[in-house]
Amino acid sequence: MCLAVPALVTALLPDDRATVSLGGVTSTCSLELVEGVAVGDYVIVHVGYALSRLDAEEAERTLALLAEVAQAEAEASA
């Protein structure tokens, strides 16, 4: 199973790369597959590549759902 997650672009880097933040974790990803990305945009990231841009409202809904799943999983294993 593959999982692509929304990440916030915090900086644009040379060579079509960006710094992104997801849940307080900072990483870099390639922007080669997506045009017009700016700082403050959300992108869907999978294995180090931004696959598409995502509006902030949808990104926040998706991140909230992922947080709910993590919480339910933590409660179930406690």
Side-chain angles (χ1 to χ4, degrees):
M1 177 168 89
C2 296
L3 180 64
V5 294
L8 179 65
V9 176
T10 59
L12 298 176
L13 305 172
D15 299 324
D16 281 332
R17 300 193 59 76
T19 301
V20 295
S21 176
L22 174 62
V25 176
T26 301
S27 183
T28 60
C29 72
S30 172
L31 298 176
E32 290 182 28
L33 304 175
V34 184
E35 293 182 6
V37 175
V39 171
D41 286 346
Y42 279 92
V43 291
I44 297 292
V45 178
H46 177 64
V47 294
Y49 285 87
L51 302 177
S52 64
R53 287 185 13 219
L54 184 65
D55 68 67
E57 185 178 309
E58 183 64 26
E60 290 168 9
R61 273 197 307 260
T62 301
L63 292 170
L65 287 171
L66 290 171
E68 283 181 40
V69 169
Q71 179 66 31
E73 206 169 80
E75 290 172 1
S77 65

